[in-house]
Amino acid sequence: MKRDKKEEEAGGNPYFNLEKSTVLQEARTFNETPINAKKCCGILTKIIYLIGQGEHIGSTEATEAFFAITKLFQSKDTTLRKLVYLSIKQMAEIANDVIIVTSSLTKDMTGKEDQFRAPAIRALCCITDSSMVQSIERFMKQAIVDKDPSVSSAALTSALHLSKQNSDVVKRWVNEAQEAANSDNIMVQYHALGLLYHIRKTDKLAVTKLVAKFTRQSLKSPYAYCHLIRIACKLLEEDDAGSDSQMYEFIESCLRHKSEMVIYEAAHAIVNMKHTTAKELAPAVSVLQLFCGSSKPTLRFAAVRTLNKVAMKHPAAVTACNVDLENLITDTNRSIATLAITTLLKTGNESSVDRLMKQITSFMSEIPDEFKVVVVQAIRSLCLKFPRKHSVMMGFLSSMLREEGGFEYKRAIVDSIISIIEENAEAKEAGLAHLCEFIEDCEHTVLATRILHLLGREGPRTPQPFKYIRFIYNRVILENPAVRAAAVSALAKFGAQCDQLLPSVLVLLERCEFDTDDEVRDRATFYLNVLQENQKSLNLSYIINSLQVSILGLEMALNHYTKEPSETPFDLKSVPLAAQPVVEQPVGTPGEVPSARTTEKVVATRQDVYAEQLGGIPQLANIGSLFKSSSPIELTEQETEYMVRCFKHTFPHHVVFQFDCTNTLNDQLLENVTVQMETSDDFEVIRCVPAPALTYGKPGTTYTLVRMPDDPTRVTGTFACTLKFRVKDCDPNTGEPDDDGYDDEYSLEDIEVTVADHTQKVMKPNFAAAWEEIGEGNELEETFTLSSMKTLDEAVKKIIEFLGLQPCERSDKVPEGKNAHTLFLAGVYRGGHDVLVRSKLAVTEGVTMQMTVRSTDANVSQVVASAVG
C-alpha cells in the first residue's frame, strides 16, 4: 500500500486505500514458517479494519482467511495472539466451520497465561452455538468466579451475550454470578449485577428482591450503583409508585453518595420521572447546582444539560440556579455556555430579560451557527412568554440578522421574527420593519420570497401600508427572477386591499410588464388586468385568497379532462382541496396492504393518496371525486382478537368506510371479511367490498359504500358495526387451514358521521372581506349555552374540532385574562360551497356562544347552524 508524502505529513489514515483482494492475498503469509509476528499483526489489523468498515467478504474468502489465521496459534507473541482472538470474533458470522478452533480457545481459556484467558473466553463465546454451550458450561462457571478480574468480567459479559439464545443454560450460572457480585473489583461487580438482572428481568418479583438485596448491602462499584438506580427507576414506572416507596428512597439516598457518577445518575433519574413534583425535584436540582461550579467540564456539561431539560417542565424549580448558570455563560466550553444561556432564557423572569440580552450579545460572536440557532429558538420562546418585552428581543434578533451567518442561522431568525409577529399583534410593525431592512441585503432567495409573501399578507392591514412599497419595488429592480415574481405578487395584494395605493401599484405593475423574465411579466399582466376591473370579488378570488386546491389533484383532474373532452367547462370545485401532508396509509385492493416501503412514502395531501387508491377499486367507481378523508378511528381495544380501525372517505353523495383489519390469532384464518353497518337514519348501505382473507398478523382491508340521505340537511348519523367473516382453524406453526369452516361475527364500536366529515378547512387571509363578499343572503344566527365548558380556550378548541373549519385571523388564540372572544372560522362544504362562521363567546357560569353562519348555499348555513344544538 502506497502513501504519498503529503498524507504522511498530515497524519492521514494509513488504511484509507485498502483493497480487499490485496489484503486477502497477503493473508497467505500466515501459512509461512517461521511466523513473522510483526508482519502478521499488520495484515490482521487490515482484515479487522475492512470488516469494521462494512466491506463485504464472501463466505468462501472468509473461510479461507479464517483457516490461515488458525495457523497463527503456533506463535507465542502476545500482541499477535490477541489480534487472532479479535479476528476470530469478527470472522465468526461470515466464515464456515469456525468451531474448528474450539479446542485451541478452550486450551487458552483454561491455561496459565492470564493475558490470553479473557480474550479467549470472548472469542469462544462468539463461535459457540446452542448445541455446544453445555460443553463449555463447566469452564464458564469456573471463569466467572476466577480471581483474575479481567477473566471474571470477560466470562460475565460473554454469558450475557450467550443468554440471548441459551437463556436456560445461563440461568444455571446464577450462584456463580452472585458470588462474583461480592467481588472487590468494580467492573466485575458491575458485570455480575448486569447478568443477574438480565437472567431475572422477566420475573418482576425476582427483580424487586434483587434490588432490595443490593440496596441493603454497600456496593463498591459506582457503575453497579448506576445500573441499580436505572433498574429501580424502571420498577417505579411499572408500579406507578410515588416518593413514599423504598425504591424512591434508595434513589434519593444516592444523591449523598461519595461518587459523582452515582450522584448525577440519581439526580438524572429523579428529574426524568413522569410525575415528579417541584418538592421532589428540589434535592436533585440542588445537587446539579453544585455540579455547575465543578472544575470538571464533563460534570458542568451534564449538570447544565439536565437543568435545561428540567426547565422545560418546571422552570420555577431551576430559578434558584440562575446565578450559577449566569457564571457559565463565559465558560470556555461553548456547548456548556450555550446550554446555560438557553436554560436562563427558559427560567428568567420579565425583569431579567434586558440583562440577559446584554450578556448574550457579547457571547453570540464566539459560537458557531448551530449553537446560535439553539439560542435563537430559546429567545423566540421567551418572547412568546413575555410579549411585553418584544421590542428588546426583536431588536436583538434584528441585530443578529445584520451579522454574518449561514442560511440555517438566518432562517431560524426569520422564523422567530415571523412567529413573534403572528403571536403578538403589537410586534407586527416593528417585525415587518426589521424584515424589510433584511431583504435589502438578503442573499438567500428562499428567505426573501418568504418575507415578501408575509409583507403582502400583513402589510396592507397596517396603519401605514405605503411605507412597505419602496422595499418591495426595490426587489423588482435589484433581485433575481424568483424574488421579482414574489415582489410582483406582494404589490398586487397592496393594490387589492388599499384603495389609496391602487393608482401607484398599477403604475409599478405596468413597469413590471417589461421585465426580462416571462414569469414576472405574466404575473404583472395578470394582476394588472384584475386590479383594473376594480371589483372586490375578483380581487378576493384571484389575489387575496391563494389557490386552495391540491396541486397534484389539479394536475390529475386537468389531465383527465383533456383526455376525455366534454362540452361542459372544467369545474375547479371537482378538484380536491389542499390538506396537510400525511404519510401514505395502507390502502389498496381489498385484502391487501402495501409493503412497509410504500407506507413510508410521504405524499402531498391525504386526498391525493386516497383519491388515487380508491379509484383503483372497480366496486367504488363512478361515485365522483373524493372530498375529504378522516383520521383513523379505532373500533377495537388494543390486544383484542381482532383489531379494526376505520377511515371515512366523503364523496359528493356517498361515504366510503374503509376498515383496516388485523387478525391476532395464529390458529385462525378469516375469509370473506366484511363489516355490516346498520343505522336508523336515512343513510343507505349500497354494497360491501370484502377482504378475501386475513392471515395471522397480516392486515387486510374491506370497504362499505353508503349513500347519503336525499334531504340535504340530514348529514349526520350513527352506525352500529359488526365484523363478519368465515373462520377456518389452522396449524399455528405451518399456517395450513382446515378445509371446513364456520361463520362468525365480532361486535365493533359505533361510528359517527359528523358535520366535520362534510367540511374542509380553508384559510381566508382577509376574513372581513370574505364575510362581506358572501353577504347576508343565506345568513343564520343562533345562540347556545355550552354548559359543559368552563373556559374560552376549551370552547374554542371544541368548536373548531366539531365543525372541522379553519380558524382565521389567529382567532384560535384567546388573549389572557379575557372574558369574551370572537372566533372566525372558514371552510368549504361538500359540493364546493363556501362557509364562514363568526362565533362570539363569553364566559358566565358556563360559556355562551352567539354563532353567525354565512354560506353560498342556504342548506349549508342551516346544517352548520343547527349542528351545535
Side-chain angles (χ1 to χ4, degrees):
M1 184 184 64
K2 295 181 179 179
R3 297 176 62 200
D4 49 42
K5 193 173 181 181
K6 287 184 180 178
E7 187 183 347
E8 289 179 356
E9 289 174 354
N13 183 356
Y15 303 111
F16 182 71
N17 294 317
L18 281 181
E19 290 186 7
K20 180 183 72 173
S21 57
T22 306
V23 174
L24 293 176
Q25 187 76 17
E26 290 177 359
R28 295 180 179 178
T29 306
F30 301 155
N31 296 315
E32 296 177 0
T33 53
I35 294 172
N36 185 335
K38 186 175 181 181
K39 187 177 180 181
C40 291
C41 283
I43 298 169
L44 284 176
T45 305
K46 292 176 186 178
I47 292 173
I48 294 168
Y49 176 81
L50 284 174
I51 296 173
Q53 291 297 306
E55 184 76 40
H56 175 70
I57 299 177
S59 178
T60 305
E61 294 172 321
T63 304
E64 186 179 336
F66 180 81
F67 276 90
I69 291 170
T70 60
K71 302 289 180 66
L72 299 178
F73 274 102
Q74 300 172 47
S75 174
K76 298 297 181 183
D77 185 87
T78 305
T79 305
L80 179 59
R81 184 64 65 88
K82 288 182 178 178
L83 281 168
V84 168
Y85 296 139
L86 194 55
S87 302
I88 290 171
K89 286 175 63 180
Q90 297 287 344
M91 291 280 196
E93 296 295 327
I94 52 178
N96 297 324
D97 302 323
V98 291
I99 59 172
I100 198 170
V101 293
T102 302
S103 59
S104 298
L105 292 173
T106 306
K107 181 180 176 182
D108 287 351
M109 172 183 170
T110 56
K112 295 181 180 180
E113 187 62 58
D114 288 341
Q115 292 188 58
F116 295 165
R117 294 172 64 200
I121 291 170
R122 287 192 285 268
L124 180 62
C125 290
C126 283
I127 67 167
T128 302
D129 59 22
S130 301
S131 62
M132 293 173 56
V133 174
Q134 292 185 358
S135 64
I136 65 167
E137 183 176 4
R138 179 169 59 88
F139 302 120
M140 289 297 294
K141 284 184 175 182
Q142 290 173 356
I144 288 172
V145 294
D146 196 276
K147 292 180 180 179
D148 189 321
S150 63
V151 174
S152 183
S153 274
L156 287 164
T157 52
S158 297
L160 193 62
H161 290 296
L162 285 172
S163 66
K164 294 174 183 176
Q165 294 181 341
N166 307 277
S167 57
D168 293 336
V169 177
V170 176
K171 282 179 182 178
R172 299 202 291 260
W173 307 349
V174 169
N175 293 336
E176 285 75 17
Q178 286 177 335
E179 186 177 339
N182 297 322
S183 170
D184 291 336
N185 184 273
I186 59 174
M187 293 310 296
V188 172
Q189 197 174 59
Y190 169 55
H191 291 142
L193 177 62
L195 180 60
L196 286 170
Y197 171 67
H198 192 77
I199 290 172
R200 299 174 178 178
K201 66 180 181 181
T202 54
D203 186 346
K204 188 175 179 181
L205 181 60
V207 173
T208 306
K209 288 180 178 179
L210 178 72
V211 175
K213 175 186 174 182
F214 284 107
T215 53
R216 286 195 297 269
Q217 70 182 62
S218 180
L219 293 168
K220 295 183 180 180
S221 171
Y223 304 107
Y225 262 113
C226 290
H227 190 43
L228 204 58
I229 289 169
R230 294 180 184 183
I231 297 170
C233 276
K234 192 173 181 181
L235 289 172
L236 279 173
E237 286 183 9
E238 289 174 357
D239 294 339
D240 202 20
S243 57
D244 55 344
S245 69
Q246 289 184 342
M247 298 292 174
Y248 184 87
E249 289 175 4
F250 161 69
I251 295 171
E252 191 178 29
S253 70
C254 290
L255 292 172
R256 297 177 287 278
H257 197 271
K258 61 183 178 181
S259 169
E260 292 170 336
M261 182 196 303
V262 177
I263 296 170
Y264 173 73
E265 186 65 39
H268 181 267
I270 292 172
V271 161
N272 284 281
M273 288 180 188
K274 290 180 181 177
H275 307 297
T276 313
T277 63
K279 183 180 178 181
E280 292 163 354
L281 278 174
V285 171
S286 298
V287 165
L288 295 171
Q289 185 178 3
L290 290 174
F291 283 173
C292 286
S294 171
S295 58
K296 300 176 182 176
T298 49
L299 269 182
R300 296 199 303 274
F301 177 78
V304 73
R305 188 174 69 167
T306 308
L307 287 172
N308 187 283
K309 191 171 183 180
V310 177
M312 293 179 185
K313 288 186 178 180
H314 304 278
V318 187
T319 307
C321 307
N322 281 2
V323 175
D324 302 271
L325 291 169
E326 286 183 26
N327 293 334
L328 292 177
I329 292 177
T330 56
D331 197 284
T332 53
N333 187 309
R334 297 290 82 186
S335 299
I336 294 173
T338 306
L339 284 167
I341 281 178
T342 53
T343 307
L344 283 168
L345 290 172
K346 292 170 186 172
T347 61
N349 52 41
E350 199 163 357
S351 60
S352 66
V353 169
D354 297 302
R355 179 165 47 83
L356 276 174
M357 291 298 112
K358 288 178 183 177
Q359 288 178 305
I360 295 172
T361 304
S362 58
F363 161 82
M364 290 297 285
S365 59
E366 303 171 12
I367 60 174
D369 280 3
E370 56 265 30
F371 288 155
K372 289 180 181 177
V373 170
V374 176
V375 175
V376 168
Q377 290 168 346
I379 291 172
R380 173 169 62 181
S381 300
L382 189 67
C383 194
L384 299 179
K385 186 178 178 183
F386 303 119
R388 285 186 296 183
K389 287 290 182 181
H390 68 83
S391 57
V392 176
M393 287 177 273
M394 194 81 82
F396 177 75
L397 290 172
S398 67
S399 66
M400 292 165 70
L401 265 181
R402 291 191 289 270
E403 296 173 359
E404 292 296 321
F407 171 69
E408 291 297 332
Y409 172 47
K410 297 290 185 181
R411 184 173 69 173
I413 300 172
V414 170
D415 287 346
S416 297
I417 293 176
I418 292 174
S419 176
I420 293 167
I421 290 172
E422 290 176 345
E423 296 294 330
N424 187 350
E426 295 178 5
K428 182 189 290 187
E429 287 195 63
L432 292 178
H434 292 315
L435 293 175
C436 283
E437 290 179 17
F438 172 61
I439 59 171
E440 288 287 286
D441 191 28
C442 176
E443 59 187 16
H444 305 292
T445 300
V446 173
L447 297 182
T449 53
R450 185 173 180 200
I451 292 169
L452 286 167
H453 174 73
L454 180 74
L455 287 171
R457 191 183 72 201
E458 301 290 348
R461 290 184 284 176
T462 57
Q464 298 176 313
F466 57 85
K467 64 184 181 182
Y468 303 109
I469 299 295
R470 174 174 64 85
F471 296 101
I472 296 173
Y473 190 65
N474 281 348
R475 309 281 64 74
V476 176
I477 301 170
L478 304 171
E479 293 288 355
N480 59 50
V483 178
R484 297 204 302 272
V488 168
S489 297
L491 282 173
K493 289 183 179 179
F494 277 84
Q497 298 179 72
C498 307
D499 293 337
Q500 71 274 24
L501 294 178
L502 180 59
S504 302
V505 169
L506 290 174
V507 171
L508 296 176
L509 289 176
E510 285 174 354
R511 292 179 185 174
C512 295
E513 287 186 304
F514 299 100
D515 195 276
T516 56
D517 185 75
D518 56 350
E519 172 71 15
V520 179
R521 293 195 304 272
D522 289 348
R523 288 196 189 194
T525 303
F526 173 73
Y527 290 134
L528 188 63
N529 281 276
V530 173
L531 289 172
Q532 285 174 341
E533 293 292 327
N534 202 19
Q535 294 183 22
K536 287 187 177 181
S537 59
L538 287 177
N539 292 346
L540 199 65
S541 300
Y542 295 106
I543 299 177
I544 299 173
N545 293 335
S546 58
L547 191 66
Q548 300 289 349
V549 298
S550 160
I551 300 301
L552 288 178
L554 178 62
E555 181 186 6
M556 291 170 60
L558 287 171
N559 187 38
H560 179 73
Y561 185 79
T562 54
K563 286 182 178 179
E564 299 180 10
S566 171
E567 293 182 1
T568 57
F570 179 77
D571 186 4
L572 200 61
K573 292 180 179 179
S574 65
V575 181
L577 296 176
Q580 293 299 316
V582 293
V583 176
E584 185 174 349
Q585 298 291 343
V587 185
T589 57
E592 289 186 8
V593 174
S595 65
R597 194 172 186 179
T598 307
T599 59
E600 291 174 2
K601 180 183 174 185
V602 177
V603 291
T605 66
R606 190 185 300 275
Q607 278 66 43
D608 294 331
V609 178
Y610 289 121
E612 183 177 355
Q613 294 175 341
L614 292 171
I617 302 172
Q619 299 93 324
L620 303 178
N622 303 320
I623 58 173
S625 58
L626 177 63
F627 175 73
K628 182 178 182 178
S629 294
S630 73
S631 298
I633 304 162
E634 300 295 336
L635 301 184
T636 57
E637 298 290 337
Q638 294 293 329
E639 308 299 330
T640 54
E641 300 97 316
Y642 313 111
M643 295 169 59
V644 181
R645 65 175 183 170
C646 175
F647 296 85
K648 294 176 283 186
H649 305 294
T650 307
F651 287 81
H653 303 289
H654 299 80
V655 180
V656 173
F657 295 89
Q658 171 193 327
F659 300 95
D660 290 349
C661 312
T662 304
N663 172 21
T664 63
L665 300 177
N666 62 357
D667 59 349
Q668 285 188 357
L669 171 68
L670 310 186
E671 293 183 344
N672 195 31
V673 181
T674 59
V675 175
Q676 179 180 318
M677 305 182 71
E678 296 179 353
T679 179
S680 57
D681 301 298
D682 295 335
F683 289 87
E684 180 187 355
V685 177
I686 305 297
R687 70 175 64 93
C688 293
V689 182
L694 280 185
T695 56
Y696 167 64
K698 184 179 179 182
T701 305
T702 175
Y703 301 91
T704 301
L705 177 64
V706 175
R707 191 199 308 275
M708 293 185 193
D710 295 330
D711 185 349
T713 62
R714 296 181 64 84
V715 297
T716 61
T718 303
F719 294 84
C721 300
T722 305
L723 186 69
K724 296 204 168 188
F725 45 85
R726 185 166 184 79
V727 182
K728 287 186 177 180
D729 294 328
C730 60
D731 188 324
N733 298 319
T734 63
E736 285 295 322
D738 295 342
D739 295 332
D740 298 326
Y742 57 92
D743 293 331
D744 201 356
E745 60 183 45
Y746 187 82
S747 296
L748 305 174
E749 297 287 336
D750 291 352
I751 299 176
E752 288 188 11
V753 175
T754 65
V755 171
D757 294 318
H758 303 272
T759 58
Q760 271 276 40
K761 294 182 177 182
V762 170
M763 173 59 75
K764 298 289 184 184
N766 191 329
F767 185 85
W771 184 262
E772 292 302 323
E773 184 196 8
I774 290 182
E776 301 178 0
N778 297 318
E779 180 178 292
L780 286 178
E781 186 172 291
E782 297 284 350
T783 302
F784 304 96
T785 301
L786 310 177
S787 55
S788 62
M789 301 175 194
K790 304 301 179 186
T791 64
L792 291 175
D793 277 315
E794 182 187 1
V796 166
K797 289 177 184 176
K798 291 291 184 183
I799 293 167
I800 294 172
E801 181 184 349
F802 185 74
L803 296 178
L805 300 174
Q806 175 68 40
C808 301
E809 310 280 351
R810 295 186 286 279
S811 59
D812 54 327
K813 309 289 184 184
V814 180
E816 290 186 14
K818 296 289 185 180
N819 291 325
H821 181 68
T822 302
L823 174 64
F824 301 116
L825 300 173
V828 172
Y829 189 83
R830 174 175 51 81
H833 307 292
D834 287 340
V835 57
L836 302 177
V837 175
R838 183 183 65 198
S839 294
K840 295 182 178 179
L841 305 165
V843 177
T844 50
E845 293 180 358
V847 176
T848 303
M849 177 178 70
Q850 182 188 63
M851 186 170 76
T852 309
V853 183
R854 287 187 179 183
S855 176
T856 51
D857 183 271
N859 291 323
V860 174
S861 296
Q862 184 179 343
V863 168
V864 175
S866 60
V868 179

